Amino acid sequence: MDYQSRFDLGIALSKRHEYAAAIQQFQKAQQSPKIRRAAMKLLAEMYDAKGMPEFAARMRKQLSGESGEDSGAVSAPVPTPKHPISPLDSE
């Protein structure tokens, strides 16, 4: 199973409150540079939901120390318009 499929399965399992199984999938999914940060964020959430705040804190600390090179996996950059944008009521 590829990393994206594991990530998607982790999300599905978390929605069913199957946190232990979701954790396993997110741990494997975080090996992909493209979805690493998103998987780590959800791992922290799963640890909290499972009542494991020390693991959640450790994951958040690790996440905050990441360089963010792959942050595009979490959110895309906002595009810059090529032409000036006029207000809607400027007719």
Side-chain angles (χ1 to χ4, degrees):
M1 183 181 302
D2 67 1
Y3 296 125
Q4 183 64 52
S5 296
R6 290 191 180 280
F7 182 82
D8 295 340
L9 178 56
I11 291 172
L13 291 166
S14 69
K15 288 179 181 179
R16 293 176 46 189
H17 304 276
E18 295 181 34
Y19 303 123
I23 286 169
Q24 290 176 348
Q25 296 306 315
F26 290 134
Q27 285 174 332
K28 292 174 183 172
Q30 74 175 335
Q31 295 175 22
S32 168
K34 291 182 180 181
I35 55 176
R36 179 175 174 78
R37 293 179 56 81
M40 291 171 71
K41 181 179 181 236
L42 291 173
L43 260 172
E45 291 178 19
M46 294 303 99
Y47 286 135
D48 275 333
K50 195 147 169 54
M52 302 168 72
E54 64 285 348
F55 285 99
R58 193 176 311 151
M59 185 57 56
R60 287 187 180 99
K61 183 176 180 180
Q62 184 180 350
L63 183 59
S64 69
E66 292 278 320
S67 68
E69 296 172 19
D70 60 346
S71 61
V74 178
S75 63
V78 177
T80 306
K82 294 180 181 179
H83 305 288
I85 299 174
S86 58
L88 294 175
D89 56 54
S90 66
E91 295 182 58

